[in-house]
Amino acid sequence: MNRLATAPLRSASRFAAVMMKELRQLRRDRLTFGMVIGVPLLQLLLFGYAINLDVRNLPTAVADQSNSYYSRQLVRQLGQSQITRISHRATTPQELLTLIRDGSVAVGILIPADYERRLLDQRRGAVQVLLDGSDPTVVAAVGQLATMPLARTSAAVAAEPLFAVQPLYNPEQRTAVNIVPGLLGVILTLTMILFTAVAIVRERERGNLELLINTPVSTLELMIGKVVPYIGIGLIQVLVILVFGQWLFAVPIRGAVLDLYLAAMVFIAANLALGLLISTLARSQFQAMQMTFFIMLPSILLSGFMFPFSAMPAPAQWIGNALPNTHFVNIARGIMLREAGLADLAGEMLALAAITVVAITLAALRFSRRLD
Amino acid sequence: MRPAESELAIQARGLGKRFGHVTAVSDLDLDVPKACIYGFLGPNGSGKSTTIRMLCGLLLPSTGRAQVLGMPVPEEAARLKPRIGYMTQRFSLYDDLTVAENVDFIARIYGMPRRQARQRSAELIERYHLAAQRAQLAGTLSGGQKQRLALACAVLHEPELLLLDEPTSAVDPRNRRDFWSSLFDLVQGGTTILVSTHYMDEAERCHRLAILDRGVKVADGTTPDLKRNMPYHVVTVAAGEPRSVKARLELEDAIASVTQLGLSLRVLVEPWETDPIALVTRLTDDPAASVAAAETSLEDVFVAATPGERQRAA
């Protein structure tokens, strides 16, 4: 018998066996099966109504076409306003739009070439503010700029508002438009991590693992075989959220649906890998669930799902960046609301892939084929 | 006579395992010949499971070394796995899969192509009388059925060595008899079986036996050898008041152990006592009692080899 030639075949057979077994068990587990559809629906309804908070230090791009004494003074004052933080410089309105679309900035300020003349013209706005209006909290905050006594010291006092604020992407300022794409990430994080976190612990608790590690099944065959069926389940959940998001809350999908699904797949893989890692760390299903919630909470609070990411202090942002949800919230909002493509969001995709690889490597290293 | 090395399925020297401060197994030497049933007899906590787990690479020995089927463990444990079948003490198949699904899963895990796996599963389900339960969830099987299913899965890939950790602990006597007859079938086919048990009648059926007590091997050999080499005299006493007689006997130095079996007592007398019958008759002090010499049983061997607290303290 030629062992070498048949080795990949045997490996495929073992992998398929684990996968088939997992699907069969899942089919009989009514509670888990119910979670596949029930959790996304319930959460969608619950979170459909959301939260507004004060915003600070929004990353802002300025295109100063006037480049005059007054315009430079305005830019300086904008920087001091604490609402905006000038992070990018641009020259044209198109550049401002690009920066907003790829998520680099939340606000774009266009100071036109005839700024000084407009300052004196009381019937027209002097400065145009473009912003990512899909986030109502951001729009609300930037709205404050218009009422601030900015630049009034500089020239003739304008009776009309200095800024003409133009919210892009979510002109009606509906919260659901911003919440639903983020919810996609939160729900997938919860269900995917929870499913896999208990996956290996459960086998250990029930004694199945003692038998399994005495068979030729390899660590990787076991882990990947257990996880792959859940990718399909995750994609079903994406479908549920998108359909009901559009139906109940009229949340648009402006970008390519295929892009969204591709991103979701990488995101699901990252969560499953994290779940497996938990599974190798926890000693009981209860511990696994506790650890899942340890990841869950920052995934809701620090990911930008609830509070604008850019407004958080740096350490919170570091933690947020280590969580898959932070990157996926950006991707989902980018594709669904700002019509961004995967190319615009390559950095976020790369981050998700990196988290997946690191987590699965750690999990494989942690997984012991012994009992002591 | 010790078998030649190439005839050994398992050879261990100085094998030991500590968990923190607790020594589970210490300095264990083992020679298990091929194509025989080798028994581990010992009470709970005597190190039977720990030893079996060390032999299949599930636990790392703290001391000593072992060769299983000619390969050193734990170094070669991965390459050994396809050649070993292991039946855990606790039922370790999937409760939420049916009998057929479980067997099929194990077949595919051992890398059998789909068609061969199906054929082999059908064959084993038939052989182990599970045909009527094919589509039943394993979690709802009776103790005997679960055990047959576990055995079917353990022998599915035709292993050369079968490790059975207290396989009959949850099974009634009739099922136990059937189970042992299937073990003899396997040995007939050349399989080596290492089985742990705390039942005397099961130990009696093994070709060779090691008696373990608190992690130490206190005796080993074939069952007739063990009986022949047991040093104590065996005396039975049938008396009206066995409990008071037992109390009197236990005070005497020459009496090693007294076990009550219903109305009679089984007495082990020190080997240096020249006339054990006379001694026991005198101590019994009851003209109605009948005192007689008896054949050594495996239980006597076990009792002699695993001294209780009284002798240990002395």
Side-chain angles (χ1 to χ4, degrees):
Chain A
M1 188 178 66
N2 188 345
R3 287 186 66 92
L4 276 177
T6 56
L9 217 83
R10 282 162 185 263
S11 181
S13 158
R14 287 192 293 262
F15 168 73
V18 175
M19 209 166 81
M20 175 67 86
K21 181 215 71 146
E22 205 65 24
L23 279 172
R24 280 176 168 154
Q25 287 184 302
L26 191 68
R27 202 185 56 203
R28 298 209 172 99
D29 184 355
R30 293 245 168 103
L31 187 69
T32 307
F33 208 67
M35 273 176 74
V36 173
I37 309 275
V39 167
L41 261 184
L42 215 69
Q43 300 249 28
L44 189 68
L45 292 173
L46 282 175
F47 282 93
Y49 313 90
I51 313 102
N52 273 338
L53 273 183
D54 253 356
V55 185
R56 296 180 151 216
N57 292 324
L58 291 169
T60 302
V62 173
D64 185 359
Q65 293 177 331
S66 157
N67 201 17
S68 59
Y69 168 76
Y70 290 116
S71 72
R72 283 193 296 272
Q73 191 180 28
L74 173 70
V75 170
R76 200 162 50 244
Q77 286 172 326
L78 278 173
Q80 290 161 354
S81 75
Q82 294 206 345
I83 296 171
T84 54
R85 173 174 55 82
I86 293 163
S87 59
H88 290 71
R89 293 281 180 169
T91 50
T92 63
Q94 284 72 31
E95 278 180 47
L96 288 178
L97 284 172
T98 309
L99 284 168
I100 295 175
R101 170 176 296 186
D102 68 23
S104 304
V105 299
V107 184
I109 292 175
L110 177 68
I111 305 175
D114 56 354
Y115 173 63
E116 284 168 294
R117 192 169 56 75
R118 280 167 177 255
L119 270 182
L120 300 168
D121 186 347
Q122 306 218 340
R123 285 165 306 170
R124 295 200 293 170
V127 175
Q128 188 173 39
V129 178
L130 304 165
L131 64 148
D132 179 356
S134 49
D135 189 344
T137 50
V138 171
V139 179
V142 177
Q144 295 172 36
L145 279 179
T147 63
M148 282 177 72
L150 279 179
R152 297 235 165 139
T153 52
S154 56
V157 178
E160 286 297 303
L162 186 63
F163 295 101
V165 176
Q166 188 184 343
L168 302 171
Y169 309 124
N170 185 10
E172 312 104 295
Q173 307 288 297
R174 286 183 302 116
T175 304
V177 168
N178 192 46
I179 285 292
V180 171
L183 202 55
L184 210 53
V186 170
I187 290 170
L188 286 175
T189 303
L190 176 67
T191 50
M192 292 297 106
I193 294 189
L194 198 57
F195 283 160
T196 42
V198 296
I200 283 181
V201 188
R202 190 175 51 204
E203 303 228 347
R204 194 183 291 276
E205 265 187 357
R206 293 187 184 170
N208 308 132
L209 204 63
E210 186 172 353
L211 180 123
L212 274 186
I213 55 182
N214 256 301
T215 69
V217 71
S218 78
T219 306
L220 225 53
E221 286 158 5
L222 183 63
M223 288 198 164
I224 302 198
K226 284 185 84 71
V227 149
V228 164
Y230 293 106
I231 293 185
I233 287 175
L235 292 179
I236 293 175
Q237 295 189 322
V238 172
L239 185 72
V240 170
I241 300 166
L242 290 184
V243 167
F244 282 89
Q246 191 143 45
W247 185 46
L248 294 175
F249 299 104
V251 175
I253 307 172
R254 299 198 177 103
V257 178
L258 187 66
D259 280 0
L260 192 58
Y261 265 93
L262 277 175
M265 263 172 81
V266 181
F267 173 62
I268 289 167
N271 280 320
L272 294 177
L274 271 183
L276 276 181
L277 181 58
I278 290 179
S279 212
T280 60
L281 293 170
R283 297 203 167 176
S284 63
Q285 293 193 58
F286 181 66
Q287 276 189 3
M289 285 189 201
Q290 283 184 312
M291 288 192 211
T292 303
F293 283 102
F294 184 72
I295 293 190
M296 198 57 217
L297 216 55
S299 288
I300 292 176
L301 297 176
L302 301 183
S303 63
F305 166 65
M306 277 198 168
F307 314 114
F309 190 73
S310 42
M312 286 189 277
Q317 292 194 354
W318 297 335
I319 298 171
N321 272 323
L323 298 166
N325 199 30
T326 306
H327 304 285
F328 186 69
V329 165
N330 265 340
I331 294 174
R333 286 181 181 156
I335 295 175
M336 290 173 71
L337 307 179
R338 303 195 301 267
E339 213 183 329
L342 282 186
D344 298 313
L345 303 157
E348 307 282 20
M349 289 291 282
L350 219 63
L352 285 181
I355 293 172
T356 311
V357 171
V358 169
I360 205 123
T361 308
L362 285 177
L365 290 176
R366 272 283 316 172
F367 181 76
S368 171
R369 293 189 65 87
R370 280 198 289 272
L371 294 172
D372 54 352
Chain B
M1 195 187 75
R2 293 227 176 262
E5 286 211 3
S6 62
E7 296 299 307
L8 290 178
I10 300 173
Q11 185 176 43
R13 290 291 173 265
L15 207 59
K17 178 69 187 177
R18 278 187 307 275
F19 296 106
H21 294 297
V22 182
T23 304
V25 174
S26 67
D27 203 24
L28 183 72
D29 292 346
L30 268 186
D31 291 290
V32 178
K34 285 188 177 159
C36 83
I37 301 185
Y38 193 99
F40 274 173
L41 179 65
N44 292 331
S46 58
K48 304 187 298 281
S49 294
T50 305
T51 306
I52 289 180
R53 285 172 173 174
M54 282 195 281
L55 291 174
C56 59
L58 276 185
L59 289 176
L60 220 50
S62 313
T63 61
R65 60 204 163 74
Q67 286 231 327
V68 177
L69 299 174
M71 292 177 166
V73 281
E75 295 85 351
E76 296 280 2
R79 281 178 49 204
L80 262 172
K81 288 187 197 298
R83 303 172 62 193
I84 295 183
Y86 174 47
M87 192 171 145
T88 53
Q89 189 168 352
R90 187 177 154 198
F91 183 68
S92 55
L93 287 153
Y94 294 93
D95 284 345
D96 47 359
L97 292 186
T98 67
V99 167
E101 285 167 353
N102 265 304
V103 181
D104 193 59
F105 170 65
I106 297 294
R108 314 250 4 238
I109 278 292
Y110 277 100
M112 280 187 203
R114 192 182 295 267
R115 182 179 303 175
Q116 193 192 334
R118 202 171 299 149
Q119 199 180 330
R120 182 89 177 125
S121 323
E123 183 189 323
L124 284 163
I125 285 174
E126 200 61 46
R127 187 196 304 168
Y128 291 107
H129 314 297
L130 291 164
Q133 286 80 33
R134 281 189 66 88
Q136 195 177 327
L137 292 185
T140 65
L141 295 175
S142 73
Q145 290 165 341
K146 277 187 180 174
Q147 178 221 35
R148 294 205 297 274
L149 174 59
L151 183 64
C153 290
V155 301
L156 196 134
H157 58 295
E158 298 175 319
E160 297 159 59
L161 172 66
L162 199 53
L163 302 168
L164 310 173
D165 194 359
E166 291 191 10
T168 56
S169 48
V171 175
D172 63 56
R174 195 214 147 125
N175 274 309
R176 266 164 63 189
R177 214 173 54 222
D178 294 347
F179 181 76
W180 274 83
S181 103
S182 23
L183 292 192
F184 283 115
D185 290 345
L186 288 165
V187 170
Q188 197 87 59
T191 311
T192 309
I193 300 177
L194 178 68
V195 55
S196 75
T197 181
H198 47 235
Y199 293 120
M200 292 300 156
D201 62 322
E202 283 193 349
E204 197 96 50
R205 299 170 203 236
C206 298
H207 298 118
R208 293 180 81 91
L209 204 59
I211 298 178
L212 299 184
D213 184 37
R214 292 158 220 240
V216 180
K217 187 180 75 178
V218 287
D220 71 339
T222 64
T223 322
D225 278 348
L226 284 169
K227 288 182 183 171
R228 203 166 16 229
N229 296 336
M230 212 272 301
Y232 298 97
H233 305 289
V234 183
V235 178
T236 56
V237 181
E241 287 178 358
R243 291 203 66 75
S244 57
V245 176
K246 180 169 188 270
R248 278 201 295 282
L249 287 170
E250 276 173 343
L251 293 174
E252 180 67 29
D253 272 351
I255 306 292
S257 130
V258 186
T259 314
Q260 183 174 354
L261 304 161
L263 282 175
S264 68
L265 298 173
R266 207 166 171 90
V267 186
L268 297 188
V269 183
E270 292 290 349
W272 39 261
E273 184 60 45
T274 47
D275 192 349
I277 306 278
L279 173 76
V280 174
T281 308
R282 181 170 56 78
L283 290 168
T284 302
D285 193 23
D286 178 355
S290 67
V291 178
E295 286 279 301
T296 306
S297 73
L298 194 58
E299 178 143 12
D300 298 327
V301 176
F302 181 73
V303 169
T306 57
E309 292 304 328
R310 189 173 65 94
Q311 286 91 337
R312 195 175 295 273

